[in-house]
Amino acid sequence: MSKTRGCCRSFLHFLFDYETNKTLVITSLGVGCFFRLCQLVVLLYAVGYVLMVQKAYQQTDTVMSTITTKVKGFAFTNRSDMDPHFWDVADYVIPPQGGDSFFVLTNMVITPHQTQSRCLELPGPSATCVDDCDCIEGYNDPRGNGIRTGLCENYSTTAQTCEVLSWCPLEKDTNLPQHPLLAAAENFTVLIKNSVTYPKFNFHMRNILPHINSSYLKRCIFNRTTDPDCPIFRLKHIVSEAGEDFEDMAVKGGILGIIIDWSCDLDWWAGKCFPKYSFRRLDNKNPTNNVAPGYNFRFAKYFKTPDGEETRTLIKAYGIRFDILVFGTAGKFGIVPMIVSLGAGLSFLTLVPLVADVFMLTCARKRHLYNKHKVTYLNEDEDTEPMSMGSSYGTQ
Ligand SMILES: *[C@@H]1O[C@H](CO)[C@@H](O)[C@H](O)[C@H]1NC(C)=O
Ligand SMILES: *[C@@H]1O[C@H](CO)[C@@H](O)[C@H](O)[C@H]1NC(C)=O
Ligand SMILES: *[C@@H]1O[C@H](CO)[C@@H](O)[C@H](O)[C@H]1NC(C)=O
Ligand SMILES: *[C@@H]1O[C@H](CO)[C@@H](O)[C@H](O)[C@H]1NC(C)=O
C-alpha cells in the first residue's frame, strides 16, 4: 500500500519538478583561456569566414543569356589551284546567321565540275581489285565514294580499282595546302553582342556597357590593357590568348571557346557588374596522339550547265569554330540566407564546452581535483564497501 503511494509521489515529482544544472566554476587561467580560444575560433569561422569571405549572407541566381555575333573583314586570294578570288563575310562565315557559335573558313580543298557519272575509286585497301569479280555490282561501302558498277579497271599503271557511280571526278583531299588559303582571316574582327539577365534580382545588362558610345564602338578593338570593355575582337588576338598560333590552327581547323564570365556581387556597396573575357582552345590538341586533328566539314554549290546537266563544286572546309560560353552567378544580400548560415555557424559554439571539459579533465594540471567535483560516482553498496572504486579513483 505505502509502496504504491511512494511510487505515485515520485511520479508527481518527475512531472512537476523543474530541474536545472548546477554550475561548476573553474578558476583556472589555462582552462579559461582554452575555452575562450575555442569560442574565438568558432566565431572567426562562422562569422569571419563563412559569412564574410564566402558571402553566405547572399542569395544567388544563375545567368540567362543571349548572343549575336557579326564577323567583318575581307580577303583576296591568288592560289595556283583556283582562280583569283575575293572573299567577304557571306563567303567564309558558315552558317551566316551568327549565334553563339560561328565558323570562319580558313582552308579548303575544292573539287569543281562534279557531275553524276561513273569513275574509278581512289586506291585504298577496300577499293583495289584484281578482276571484275572483286567488285560486286550494287555494293555500297560507307567508307568508299559511291555505288559499285561491277567493273574493275586500271586506275594507274600500278593499281586497279572498282568503278563506282558517284559525283565524279572524286575529291582528292590527301594533300591539304600547308599554307592556309585564308591566312588573312587573322585580321578579321567579330562583334559579340551579349545580353544577360538575372531574373531573381530583375537585373539586366549587356556587354556593350552604358559608357560605350557609337563613335567609340566604330573604332575600338579589344585589348586587355587599353580597351578592356570593347566587344570587338580580332580573331588572331583570340587565338593567341588561347595559347595557339593562328596560322597553325588555320591549316586543319579547330574549336575555340570565348568564355564570358558574368559573376557579380549585386549588393549596392559592391562595385559595378562587368563581363570578364577569357579564351581557350576546346578541341583536344594532343601532340602525341595526332589522329584526326582539327575541324572540317563538306558542303557543295550546285549549278546547271546550259544543256541542263547538274554540276556541283564540292568544298571540304577547314576552319575555326568559335563557341561562346556564358556563365555566371550573382549574389545579393538576403535576410533568410544570412540568418540560416549564421545560425548554422554559431551552433558549433555548443560543442565548445564539451571540448573544454575534455581538456579540463585530461590535460589541466589540477585535473584530479576537477574530476572529483565534476563527476560523482554513486555506489549502492556504500554501507558494506566504504572504499568505492569511484572515490579512490578520484582522489588518487
Ligand atoms: C591495265 O594494266 C595492265 C598492266 O598494268 C595492262 O596489261 C592492261 O592492258 C591494262 N588494261 C587496260 C584496259 O588498259
Ligand atoms: C594583318 O594585318 C597586319 C597589320 O594590319 C599586317 O601586317 C598583316 O600582314 C595582316 N595579315 C595578313 C595575313 O594579311
Ligand atoms: C564617346 O566616348 C569617348 C570616350 O569613350 C569620348 O571621348 C567621345 O567624346 C564620346 N563621343 C560622343 C559623341 O559622345
Ligand atoms: C594592347 O595595347 C598595347 C598598348 O597600345 C599594345 O602594346 C599591345 O600590343 C596591344 N595588344 C594587342 C594584343 O594588340
Side-chain angles (χ1 to χ4, degrees), residues 211 213 215-216 219:
H211 67 265
N213 59 30
S215 60
Y216 175 74
R219 61 172 178 78

Side-chain angles (χ1 to χ4, degrees), residues 6-19:
C7 184
C8 191
R9 191 181 305 134
S10 39
F11 179 71
L12 282 177
H13 273 295
F14 172 76
L15 213 54
F16 291 112
D17 286 357
Y18 172 67
E19 296 159 12

Side-chain angles (χ1 to χ4, degrees), residues 351-366:
L351 292 180
V352 172
L354 275 179
V355 178
D357 275 1
V358 170
F359 175 78
M360 171 184 90
L361 296 179
T362 57
C363 305
R365 204 154 26 85
K366 297 190 193 156

Side-chain angles (χ1 to χ4, degrees), residues 121 125-128 132-151 162-166:
E121 267 283 14
S126 65
T128 48
D132 290 353
C133 301
D134 293 335
C135 302
I136 303 154
E137 187 179 348
Y139 177 71
N140 130 23
D141 178 6
R143 290 162 195 267
N145 288 292
I147 299 171
R148 289 188 183 167
T149 59
L151 295 179
C162 297
E163 191 192 56
V164 289
L165 176 65
S166 178

Side-chain angles (χ1 to χ4, degrees), residues 153-154 156-158 160:
E153 289 190 4
N154 287 357
S156 61
T157 51
T158 52
Q160 285 188 310

Side-chain angles (χ1 to χ4, degrees), residues 74-75 179 182-188 234 236 246-247:
F74 308 108
H179 182 75
L182 275 169
E186 67 178 30
N187 284 337
F188 295 172
R234 203 166 146 235
K236 187 184 172 107
F246 189 90
E247 201 168 314

Side-chain angles (χ1 to χ4, degrees), residues 55-71:
K55 300 199 169 160
Y57 58 82
Q58 289 184 329
Q59 50 182 333
T60 58
D61 194 10
T62 48
V63 73
M64 281 167 69
S65 132
T66 180
I67 295 166
T68 61
T69 54
K70 194 179 282 179
V71 182

Side-chain angles (χ1 to χ4, degrees), residues 7 13 36 68 83 251 349 394:
C7 184
H13 273 295
R36 293 292 173 211
T68 61
D83 298 333
V251 174
L349 281 179

